[in-house]
Amino acid sequence: MMRRIPRRPSRDVPAYQAITRDIIVRVTPAFMPGQSDPVESRYVWSYTIEIENHGEETVQLISRRWLITDAQNRTETVAGSGVVGEQPRLKPREAFRYTSACPLSTPSGDMRGSYQMLTDDGVAFEVEVPAFSLHLPGAHRSLN
């Protein structure tokens, strides 16, 4: 569903933000202890992303590209069509929010990426997804 999403700041959860061509991308990560198993070296984070179109053009998110780095500096690239099975189309002042998850084999890491957007006029451009930390609650954060 596309709609204007009010910002809900929290002091307990870090939020990361980037702006490209009047498109705001805001990320809020959260550790998922119920999905994680440290004995099996499995640490899972959810991340909620809000994409807001503050521009004058309608844009559509076509694809995504992620760089996921763990605590041992191993980086995995993940690319694909849309996000969570959708290719949202955002008119001016509309927003889209989704939540996804990322497993790591180490207790910390980071993610960064980009979305390929397309205007109604057929102009393609990249929108930055800000780098965000994936660290256990209470752990030292080294990113940003």
Side-chain angles (χ1 to χ4, degrees):
M1 169 171 33
M2 311 301 171
R3 62 184 175 84
R4 176 73 175 99
I5 300 172
R7 176 79 177 106
R8 288 185 217 113
S10 169
R11 294 174 194 226
D12 300 330
V13 179
Y16 303 87
Q17 180 173 294
I19 303 172
T20 310
R21 284 186 59 164
D22 296 322
I23 306 296
I24 298 174
V25 177
R26 190 175 298 113
V27 185
T28 307
F31 180 62
M32 300 177 69
Q35 301 290 322
S36 300
D37 185 353
V39 173
E40 296 291 324
S41 295
R42 180 174 169 81
Y43 303 88
V44 180
W45 282 265
S46 70
Y47 54 91
T48 299
I49 296 189
E50 299 171 351
I51 305 165
E52 298 179 358
N53 182 359
H54 289 262
E56 299 299 319
E57 298 178 280
T58 298
V59 297
Q60 184 171 14
L61 190 157
I62 301 300
S63 62
R64 72 191 180 286
R65 182 172 185 268
W66 290 108
L67 297 174
I68 305 166
T69 305
D70 70 13
Q72 296 179 3
N73 211 28
R74 294 178 297 214
T75 300
E76 177 184 2
T77 300
V78 177
S81 177
V83 291
V84 294
E86 297 187 48
Q87 291 182 316
R89 190 168 179 270
L90 300 170
K91 294 177 183 174
R93 288 162 294 292
E94 283 188 332
F96 179 78
R97 177 189 292 155
Y98 73 94
T99 299
S100 192
C102 175
L104 287 180
S105 60
T106 61
S108 65
D110 67 70
M111 289 179 65
R112 68 189 73 230
S114 62
Y115 298 129
Q116 182 172 13
M117 307 295 271
L118 188 64
T119 68
D120 281 352
D121 294 332
V123 176
F125 63 99
E126 295 289 315
V127 169
E128 176 189 2
V129 178
F132 57 97
S133 297
L134 304 173
H135 291 282
L136 292 177
H140 173 70
R141 288 186 174 84
S142 60
L143 183 66
N144 291 349

